[in-house]
Amino acid sequence: MGDALNFSPNPLPFEGWEVVLRRLRDREAFIWPVNLPILPDMVEEYDFSFFLERSTLAFTMAKPTLKPSWLSLYYPLQTEVWIFVAASVLILFIILLMIKHNVEGKRYETWLAVKLVIGTLLDEAIPGELPRKTPMRMLLTAWLIFTFIVGTVYRSNLTACLTIPTYPPRPETLVDLLNTGARVTIVDTMDIFVTSFKQSESTTLRTLTERMVYVPSFKEGMTESLTENSAHLYERLYMEVKVEEYFTNNDGSTSLYVTQGTLLDDFSAFLLIRDAPFRSKIDSCLMVFHESGLLTKWKTKVMDEIRHENQERRKTNILQGEEKKKTTDETDVISLTLLHMQGPLVLYLLTATVSFLAFISEISIGAYRHHNLKMSRRPPASK
C-alpha cells in the first residue's frame, strides 16, 4: 500500500489503545492498520477505511460435556414410537385373550398372555405350548415380525446413542453467553470495546460489560475457561491460532471452542484520522485485496501454517515418548463411562430390586401358608 500511495511507512510502537487514539487525534499518526470493528461512538472522532470483513469479535469457552441421564434408554425412539409400541402391546394382549377364549373354547391364562406379549417383545422364546389354530398363528407371526423390527432398530439406535452421544448445545451468541451466567474475561487492550458497550443502547451489550473481568494475558483467560464458568472475549482468528498452539492435545483434540457466528452486527476496518485526504486511495487498495481474494487467502494460509507446525510438534512429542499412546492405524475402541451407561445400570438396579422384593414376598407368603396349614392339621388339644 505504501508503494501504491507513494509514501514510506513509519510504524510507531504500540503503547496501548489510549496512546494510539491520542496520536490519531493529534495527527501524530495517520492510520492504525488493525482489524478494528466500526464502533458507533468512534465514528464522530475518527474515520474508517473501506471495510475488511464482518466483525470478528468472538469468545472461546470450554466445550460442553455430557451430563448423566437415565433417559439414555428412551432416546433411541421418539415419543410417538413409544406410544405406538405401548398401544400395540395392549391391543395384542386384549386380542390374544379374545381369540383364545372364542376360537379354542377355553380361557387363556392372563399371566401366560403377559409373558407371551412382553417376553417376545424382549426377544425371549414363546412360553407354553405353540398355538394350533390358524388365527393364533397368524397373529403371533405378525407380532414376532413386529418385535423383530422394533427390537433391531432399538438396539442399533441405542448403540449409536451410547457410542456417539449428542452433546448439549453450546453458546454461540452473546445472548446465549449471558443466559449461561458465565463471566467474561478480557485483556487490557479491550478497553475500547468496554467504553463503547457501556454507551450502547443495547441492553445485551451493557449487561455484558457488567460481567467483564480483566486478566493479565489471553492465555490465563483461556485457561480459566477450562476450569471455571467463564468465556474469553477477543478476535476470532487470534483465538483460533492460540487454541491450536496452546490448547490442542497430541491427538488433535481440544477442550475449547471458538464461536463462528458474528457477535456484532457491524464490519471491521482500518482506523484513520478525521477527514483523511488519502482515504479514497486506501479504499481503492483494499478493494483490490477484496477482488483478488487476498484477505481470505492470507487468513487460510496463516491457519494452515499453524496447524502444520502443531501437527509436526505433536508427532515429535509422540515419537519422543512424551505421551504413551497407541499410534497404530487401528480404530480406537471408545470406552463407555458411567455417563453413557447410567440408564441401563439404573434399569438393572430397579429390576433387581423388584425381583428381590418379589422373592422375599414369595418366601414370606409360602412360610405363612405353611404355618397355617400346619396349624390346621394339628389335632385339638385334649381336655
Side-chain angles (χ1 to χ4, degrees), residues 190-374:
M190 295 291 290
D191 285 342
I192 190 171
F193 289 93
V194 176
T195 303
S196 177
F197 291 169
K198 287 182 178 180
Q199 300 175 2
S200 174
E201 297 179 358
S202 172
T203 306
T204 302
L205 295 179
R206 292 198 304 270
T207 306
L208 181 66
T209 57
E210 299 174 358
R211 303 274 186 90
M212 289 182 175
V213 178
Y214 286 98
V215 291
S217 64
F218 76 91
K219 193 172 183 179
E220 182 174 339
M222 298 175 77
T223 303
E224 288 186 8
S225 300
L226 293 173
T227 58
E228 302 178 10
N229 184 23
S230 65
H232 188 68
L233 189 69
Y234 205 69
E235 198 273 332
R236 179 186 298 111
L237 182 60
Y238 184 84
M239 289 194 296
E240 289 179 351
V241 171
K242 297 309 175 183
V243 168
E244 187 70 25
E245 286 182 343
Y246 299 103
F247 299 95
T248 301
N249 303 322
N250 283 351
D251 58 357
S253 62
T254 178
S255 299
L256 289 174
Y257 77 95
V258 181
T259 57
Q260 298 301 316
T262 301
L263 299 184
L264 299 178
D265 295 329
D266 56 16
F267 296 86
S268 58
F270 291 163
L271 192 62
L272 311 175
I273 60 175
R274 186 69 177 175
D275 300 325
F278 50 82
R279 176 181 173 181
S280 60
K281 296 294 184 179
I282 292 181
D283 290 347
S284 63
C285 292
L286 294 179
M287 284 293 294
V288 175
F289 294 150
H290 276 286
E291 294 172 354
S292 59
L294 287 176
L295 297 178
T296 304
K297 176 181 174 61
W298 288 335
K299 291 194 298 182
T300 305
K301 183 179 179 180
V302 168
M303 288 306 301
D304 289 343
E305 291 177 352
I306 293 296
R307 292 191 181 98
H308 178 72
E309 293 175 359
N310 287 323
Q311 287 176 0
E312 295 297 327
R313 174 179 56 82
R314 290 193 291 266
K315 290 180 181 179
T316 303
N317 292 340
I318 293 176
L319 292 177
Q320 293 178 352
E322 293 185 11
E323 288 193 10
K324 298 179 180 179
K325 185 174 180 178
K326 292 176 61 179
T327 58
T328 60
D329 294 334
E330 300 178 359
T331 303
D332 294 336
V333 178
I334 299 178
S335 301
L336 299 181
T337 63
L338 288 177
L339 295 177
H340 303 86
M341 300 302 294
Q342 186 184 44
L345 290 176
V346 169
L347 180 62
Y348 167 73
L349 293 176
L350 289 177
T351 53
T353 303
V354 173
S355 176
F356 177 75
L357 295 177
F359 177 70
I360 296 298
S361 301
E362 290 178 356
I363 294 179
S364 301
I365 294 174
Y368 177 76
R369 290 180 178 177
H370 179 72
H371 177 73
N372 290 342
L373 181 61
K374 185 177 180 180

Side-chain angles (χ1 to χ4, degrees), residues 40-91:
D41 61 311
M42 299 183 64
V43 175
E44 299 179 356
E45 296 187 56
Y46 309 94
D47 274 350
F48 285 88
S49 67
F50 187 78
F51 76 91
L52 299 173
E53 59 180 345
R54 294 293 297 270
S55 175
T56 58
L57 187 66
F59 62 84
T60 180
M61 290 188 73
K63 292 180 179 179
T65 57
L66 287 175
K67 297 181 180 180
S69 175
W70 61 272
L71 292 176
S72 58
L73 294 175
Y74 167 80
Y75 293 142
L77 300 178
Q78 292 185 352
T79 305
E80 295 81 0
V81 179
W82 284 113
I83 296 175
F84 178 77
V85 172
S88 301
V89 170
L90 180 60
I91 293 174

Side-chain angles (χ1 to χ4, degrees), residues 98-116:
M98 293 174 58
I99 292 180
K100 191 67 176 179
H101 177 73
N102 297 330
V103 176
E104 300 194 3
K106 57 182 179 180
R107 293 188 60 188
Y108 202 47
E109 295 182 6
T110 305
W111 178 241
L112 188 60
V114 173
K115 291 172 61 178
L116 175 62

